[in-house]
Amino acid sequence: MAETPAQVEVEVTETLVANLGETMPTPYLFILFKSGLLFIYQLVPIPSTGSQKLEDGRSHSSLSVQFVKRMVQQLSEKEIEEPQLPSVVGVDKRASRSLVPFTVVDQRNIPKSAVFLTGEDSHWIMKGDKTDVMFMHSDYTVVYAFTSCSMWDNTPTFLMSTEEGTSLVEWIGDLSFHGHFAFERIRKGRTYSNIASDSTTGLIVAVSCADQDFVLYDDEGTNVWERDAPNVSYPVLGAVALELIDPASWATIDGYEFGTNEVVNALEVVRLETLSTSAGNKDFIAVGTSIHRGEDLAVRGGTYIFDVAEVVQDTEAKGKRKHKLKLLCKEEAKGPVTALCEINGYLVSSMGQKIFVRAFDLNERLVGVAFLDAGTYVTSVRCLKNFLMITDVVKSVWFVAFQASSVDIRYSNLTL
C-alpha cells in the first residue's frame, strides 16, 4: 500500500538524546523525520510534583523534565544514492541521514559535546557556553558514515566515508564557537585596534598598540614637561604601528611605525582611481590618525595612503616575504581624521566637523574635489551607491548625495 503524504510527513526515522555544550553540556532531544524535518529540544528539569492518584486508586509519577524547542531545520528531501561499488554482499550504499554524537577535547583542555548529521548536506550541530544551538555546514557534500577516532596520539580525529572516498579529518583545537561562524584565536602578544583585509594579495593589515610613556612636546619638538618627583609617573599612551600579516603563518612580514603620540582612528581598504593599472583603479590602504598634543594645543591628524607592493622574495629562512608596505602619500590635517571610505574612485575622509572628497593624483598626492560642512563631529562614513551614509554624535544617521559628473556633494532628505 502506498504511503500518503501525511504518513511520510510524520514518519520518524531517528530519535537521539545527546549532550550539547562545552564546560557544562546539557541533554537535547533530536527528532529526524523522513521528510527531512529536524526538531531539536532541550531537556530542562522542572520541580517535581510527586506522585499523583489515578481514578482507580493507583499512584502515578511523572518525569520532571520539560522539552523546550531550540531549533527546527528543513533538510533537502532528496537522498543521494552512491555509484555502484564492488561489495562482498552486493548491496548498494545509500547516503542515509544519521545523527552521530561525539565529544572532543580542545587544546585548552575544554571538552566539547556535539552531534554530526550524515547524508546529503551534512552538518555539525554544536553549542557554545554563550550561544544557542548552531547548525554549521560541513565541507563534504555527501557523508555516508561518520565516527570519532583517537588512535593517533591525543589528537581528536574523525573517520568519514564521503563521495571522495574515506577521509581522516582532524579537529582544530583552537576553534571557538561563540557565534554563527567558527573562529580561531591567534595570540600575537600585542593589542590590535583596527584590522582590514587586502583582497588582491590575501594579506591582512592591522594596527597594533603598545603602551609607552606620553611625553608632551611643543610645536618646535621640545619637551615641555618633566616630572618633578620620583614618585610622579608619566601618563601612558599607546605606540601605534601598521603591520602587514601573512594569514598562512600569522607572521608579521612588514610594518610602519607612526609618530609620537599618534593614534590610528580609521583603517580601510579603498579602491581609488589610478593610472598605474589597466583597469584604471586599484586597492590601497587608507589610514586616518590623530596626534595628541596635550590640553593647551589643538589635536592634529593625518591621512596616509599605503600600497601593498610586490617585492623580490627574501632568501633568508626567517623572511621569505613577497610583499611590503609602501607609503605613497602622507597629508597632515589640522584636526583628527576620524572616518574613511571611498565613493566612485574618490577618497572620502572626515576631519572633525568637515567631510572632504579627494582624488588620488598620480599616486602621489590627494587633491580636493568636494567639501561638506557637517556641523558636528562625524563618527563614521560609508558609501551606499551614490550616497554617503554619515553618522555623528547629534543627528544620528543621515545621507548626502555625491555627483561625480559635476563633482558636487549635497544634503539629502533621507535621515534616520
Side-chain angles (χ1 to χ4, degrees):
M1 183 176 62
E3 296 179 339
T4 63
Q7 291 175 337
V8 175
E9 180 70 25
V10 299
E11 182 178 348
V12 177
T13 59
E14 185 177 0
T15 59
L16 173 70
V17 176
N19 289 333
L20 291 181
E22 294 180 335
T23 57
M24 298 181 62
T26 55
Y28 283 78
L29 172 64
F30 299 81
I31 304 177
L32 181 61
F33 292 86
K34 186 177 181 180
S35 61
L37 199 61
L38 175 64
F39 285 88
I40 302 178
Y41 295 88
Q42 182 181 3
L43 278 65
V44 180
I46 58 176
S48 177
T49 58
S51 59
Q52 299 178 357
K53 293 291 185 179
L54 300 179
E55 295 180 357
D56 55 1
R58 294 180 301 170
S59 62
H60 172 72
S61 60
S62 59
L63 184 63
S64 301
V65 173
Q66 183 179 9
F67 294 90
V68 180
K69 185 186 297 183
R70 293 303 185 188
M71 178 176 289
V72 178
Q73 289 288 337
Q74 177 61 58
L75 307 174
S76 59
E77 298 183 4
K78 180 181 178 181
E79 290 188 349
I80 294 181
E81 195 172 312
E82 194 182 54
Q84 183 74 27
L85 296 176
S87 175
V88 294
V89 295
V91 179
D92 295 339
K93 294 170 61 180
R94 294 180 58 86
S96 60
R97 296 191 180 99
S98 177
L99 297 166
V100 183
F102 66 92
T103 301
V104 296
V105 179
D106 60 11
Q107 294 181 353
R108 296 172 296 170
N109 202 25
I110 297 178
K112 299 178 184 293
S113 299
V115 173
F116 187 83
L117 175 63
T118 64
E120 182 186 0
D121 294 333
S122 56
H123 287 78
W124 304 84
I125 306 175
M126 313 185 68
K127 183 185 180 302
D129 288 337
K130 300 180 180 179
T131 64
D132 206 346
V133 179
M134 297 175 291
F135 200 70
M136 308 184 69
H137 183 71
S138 174
D139 289 339
Y140 294 100
T141 305
V142 180
V143 176
Y144 300 100
F146 173 92
T147 183
S148 58
C149 178
S150 58
M151 296 172 56
W152 291 269
D153 298 331
N154 295 324
T155 304
T157 53
F158 306 98
L159 285 174
M160 293 185 181
S161 176
T162 66
E163 59 181 356
E164 302 175 1
T166 304
S167 301
L168 179 63
V169 181
E170 179 182 352
W171 181 269
I172 302 178
D174 290 338
L175 281 182
S176 298
F177 303 91
H178 292 166
H180 295 288
F181 301 95
F183 63 92
E184 182 181 0
R185 288 186 174 93
I186 306 299
R187 304 190 182 276
K188 297 277 292 180
R190 293 180 294 276
T191 302
Y192 290 88
S193 59
N194 304 78
I195 188 170
S197 177
D198 184 20
S199 59
T200 304
T201 60
L203 301 177
I204 295 176
V205 183
V207 177
S208 63
C209 304
D211 292 339
Q212 72 171 7
D213 294 338
F214 175 76
V215 181
L216 186 61
Y217 297 95
D218 57 10
D219 292 335
E220 299 178 355
T222 305
N223 189 4
V224 299
W225 181 81
E226 292 286 349
R227 54 183 181 179
D228 52 3
N231 58 348
V232 177
S233 60
Y234 287 102
V236 176
L237 184 67
V240 179
L242 186 66
E243 297 184 7
L244 185 63
I245 302 174
D246 185 4
S249 60
W250 296 107
T252 302
I253 59 179
D254 197 17
Y256 177 85
E257 293 185 0
F258 293 94
T260 305
N261 304 333
E262 191 169 10
V263 178
V264 173
N265 301 320
L267 171 66
E268 298 290 341
V269 176
V270 293
R271 182 174 290 271
L272 305 179
E273 293 183 354
T274 179
L275 299 177
S276 61
T277 62
S278 58
N281 52 57
K282 185 180 179 181
D283 288 341
F284 296 94
I285 310 299
V287 182
T289 66
S290 61
I291 303 174
H292 300 277
R293 304 190 299 163
E295 59 183 6
D296 296 330
L297 298 175
V299 176
R300 292 184 177 179
T303 303
Y304 298 78
I305 303 295
F306 293 90
D307 182 25
V308 182
E310 188 173 357
V311 297
V312 179
Q313 183 174 351
D314 294 344
T315 57
E316 299 179 0
K318 296 181 180 179
K320 295 185 179 179
R321 63 177 182 177
K322 298 181 181 180
H323 301 85
K324 65 176 295 184
L325 288 173
K326 182 180 179 181
L327 178 62
L328 301 178
C329 175
K330 175 184 177 182
E331 183 182 81
E332 296 183 355
K334 297 181 179 180
V337 180
T338 56
L340 295 169
C341 75
E342 59 90 12
I343 182 171
N344 297 333
Y346 296 96
L347 178 66
V348 182
S349 62
S350 66
M351 187 188 70
Q353 302 178 1
K354 300 178 178 60
I355 297 177
F356 298 92
V357 179
R358 294 185 174 94
F360 194 32
D361 186 26
L362 300 176
N363 290 358
E364 294 179 352
R365 59 174 183 164
L366 294 172
V367 180
V369 296
F371 164 80
L372 177 67
D373 190 355
T376 183
Y377 178 81
V378 176
T379 57
S380 67
V381 179
R382 286 292 181 267
C383 174
L384 184 61
K385 295 185 178 180
N386 290 332
F387 290 91
L388 289 176
M389 185 175 63
I390 303 172
T391 61
D392 55 57
V393 296
V394 177
K395 298 180 182 179
S396 184
V397 181
W398 49 292
F399 294 84
V400 296
F402 175 74
Q403 296 180 353
S405 57
S406 60
V407 194
D408 187 19
I409 184 170
R410 299 179 181 180
Y411 284 99
S412 175
N413 294 327
L414 299 175
T415 58
L416 296 179

